[in-house]
Amino acid sequence: MKRTLAILSAVAATALSVPALADTLVRNIQGITIDEDGEVQRFVALLIDGDGRVRETIASTRDVPKDAEVVIDGKGRTLLPGMIDSHVHVMGIGLGALTLDLSQTNSLAEAQQAIAAYAAQYPDRAWIIGRGWNQERWGLGRFPTAEELDAAVADRPVYLERVDGHASWANTEAMRRAGITAETQSPSGGRIETLPGTRAPSGIFVDAAAALVQEYVPAPLASDRDVALARAQEILLAQGVTAVADMGSTIEDWQSFRRAGDAGWLRMRIMSYAAGTDNMALIGGPGPSQWLYGDRLRLNGVKLYLDGALGSRGAWLKQPYADDPGNRGLPLETPTDLRNLMSRAAFDNFQLAIHAIGDAANAEVLTAIEEMAPTYEGDRRWRIEHAQIVDVADIRRFGEHGIIASMQPVHQTSDREMAEARLDPPRLEGAYAWQSIRDAGTRLAFGSDAPVESADPFAGFAAAISRTDSNGQPFGGWYPDERVARSTALAAFTSNGAYAGFAEGRFGRLLPGEWADFIIVDRDPMLAGVSELRDTRVLQTWVAGIRVFRAENGQTGR
């Protein structure tokens, strides 16, 4: 606790001690942004007023003023708008950095070693908690079991979330404490995996079933959340991310955001989407909140889930999985319940952001929007989160009713081999179909889904324009017609992200009057090769005209 208070006091003191800004000129730069028409605009200098807003982007060296009070030499580097990640889990990033992380383990044995070492390092922790395991990365061909987790730690309960957050792995002691037995029934919208040929629980709990164990896991303290928020901001700002859409904010998360804002250490911008309608009502009351703390925080709407994830075979498909006949995944809401929840939010003008991964889930959300749009008129900006697997026949429907496709390019490169196993070729035609969905007339907003994937926007940028992974595979790109242009990718990580969160005119394009949120990087993303783009280093990050990150000794924190 003392260390917690020391960290937060230091961050707050730094933030609160920043003096009022003078007019600032950032010169000698290769500036790039997206103009009001969605086109790439280049400039050589950026003039920031004393409030931290953009006064002007200057296109010619002849027009660079000579009388600014503060002059920053950009040393010929590239300056971009701050990146906007349109789908993250802020507390998940921070808490994930403070607990056991299995995301880089490459085998079950390696994971078991990491779990055992972590438990030995923290002998006083009543529960071992973590995330990031991925049986596909391990090449296991099945889910791990409680017995295999017991081999690492048996004397304390262990609860570990899968990398996508849609399945959990518990050891025998954790199941004992939760009262899970062979008689325990799978809840609606969830599945308790069982050992082959038995009813005995295997230790894997998919989607809604995870709550059967999770409710016994000690919840983070308020101080834990504050440290996690501080850590998440460090991670994101070092990646060049100045604003995020936080998908699934609880009331406890919101209270941490507010404490940070009140104390002066909320350094980035959070567009919050409440975790379900109960949290929506607790946080927002009669409607979306006002913009707070100089446009650093707002409750925009609500995050709803219609299905699970492809990795745990919880994504809801129209036809069974190719590698699991008879299983079409898990719809998490009935059609009636989905529409009731959407109506509850739309009636009070909360923006809807609905998780849909499988083609059946996407079709159901599209149908619900089509049915409700005539009743709930106006600028709704219905968001479909992920839109990963879409029936080709349904893609055109994304262009109607102002729908925003909030997609994560890095999922395509991470999921490619798994998707090829889960789905047959005709369904892959509509998988991660960024260009086709854009051609239908929708606006793309890109993100990372961190901590499911790295928050590095340049990894997402590279995936979006190439459809290849970090090893350059597959050669020529996977379904390469779905690549997007570099200008489209830049807009999806900046101006479109602002628009998707009702923040246009506040930040996202470095237009006059917008907040001066920008980054300085070591290469031009519009010209760099794909492999070079992935290696982009963020040198500085600025929010509202104040530098909040600077790379030290060549390290960026990426």
Side-chain angles (χ1 to χ4, degrees), residues 177-501:
R177 295 197 184 192
I180 304 298
T181 70
E183 306 305 317
T184 306
Q185 299 295 311
S186 294
S188 175
R191 183 173 65 248
I192 301 173
E193 294 287 333
T194 57
L195 296 172
T198 77
R199 295 181 59 186
S202 71
I204 295 297
F205 301 82
V206 178
D207 288 314
L212 298 175
V213 180
Q214 191 171 32
E215 66 177 301
Y216 292 89
V217 179
L221 302 174
S223 57
D224 297 331
R225 291 183 185 278
D226 289 351
V227 173
L229 175 57
R231 184 73 183 102
Q233 289 187 91
E234 290 176 0
I235 292 169
L236 291 163
L237 292 170
Q239 304 275 24
V241 177
T242 57
V244 298
D246 184 48
M247 287 294 161
S249 308
T250 65
I251 182 64
E252 293 84 5
D253 297 340
W254 179 261
Q255 289 169 337
S256 184
F257 302 159
R258 291 298 304 264
R259 287 192 295 272
D262 290 344
W265 56 274
L266 186 60
R267 299 187 292 158
M268 63 184 300
R269 306 189 189 282
I270 300 176
M271 297 170 283
S272 176
Y273 293 81
T277 53
D278 288 345
N279 280 290
M280 177 192 80
L282 283 171
I283 297 168
S289 75
Q290 299 297 311
W291 285 97
L292 305 168
Y293 313 116
D295 294 339
R296 280 180 169 80
L297 180 63
R298 182 180 189 246
L299 176 71
N300 280 0
V302 62
K303 166 78 178 297
L304 302 178
Y305 285 89
L306 186 52
D307 67 345
L310 204 62
S312 52
R313 297 186 183 85
W316 182 26
L317 303 177
K318 292 184 176 182
Q319 299 298 326
Y321 282 85
D323 61 352
D324 189 9
N327 178 19
R328 293 177 49 212
L330 294 168
L332 302 185
E333 302 290 350
T334 67
T336 299
D337 287 344
L338 173 66
R339 286 156 179 76
N340 286 342
L341 291 169
M342 292 174 67
S343 293
R344 169 68 183 88
F347 184 81
D348 286 330
N349 295 309
F350 289 101
Q351 185 185 14
L352 279 148
I354 305 176
H355 167 117
I357 288 183
D359 54 6
N362 278 283
E364 184 64 26
V365 174
L366 289 165
T367 298
I369 291 171
E370 290 164 357
E371 292 173 0
M372 297 176 65
T375 299
Y376 299 104
E377 299 177 330
D379 187 7
R380 293 288 173 172
R381 305 189 194 180
W382 314 89
R383 296 178 59 134
I384 298 181
E385 302 300 316
H386 306 305
Q388 283 185 12
I389 314 299
V390 181
D391 189 324
V392 172
D394 290 327
I395 287 177
R396 61 173 181 78
R397 302 167 69 190
F398 275 82
E400 302 170 2
H401 307 297
I403 292 170
I404 292 166
S406 172
M407 306 178 77
Q408 301 75 45
V410 284
H411 281 329
Q412 181 268 306
T413 55
S414 296
D415 292 356
R416 174 175 60 87
E417 293 181 352
M418 177 183 66
E420 290 173 341
R422 299 280 191 273
L423 306 168
D424 48 60
R427 286 186 286 190
L428 293 175
E429 295 287 341
Y432 315 90
W434 313 316
Q435 186 61 44
S436 293
I437 288 175
R438 181 177 184 271
D439 287 343
T442 193
R443 196 179 298 240
L444 298 177
F446 282 165
S448 66
D449 203 10
V452 175
E453 304 277 2
S454 165
D456 179 7
F458 295 101
F461 198 125
I465 66 171
S466 72
R467 308 274 291 188
T468 61
D469 63 21
S470 58
N471 296 316
Q473 296 299 317
F475 180 77
W478 191 72
Y479 291 84
D481 288 347
E482 295 300 342
R483 293 175 296 194
V484 300
R486 291 178 189 246
S487 58
T488 298
L490 180 60
F493 274 113
T494 57
S495 58
N496 286 3
Y499 180 87

Side-chain angles (χ1 to χ4, degrees), residues 89-107:
H89 308 278
V90 172
M91 282 298 170
I93 295 170
L95 291 170
L98 301 173
T99 56
L100 174 59
D101 180 8
L102 297 174
S103 62
Q104 300 306 307
T105 57
N106 294 307
S107 68

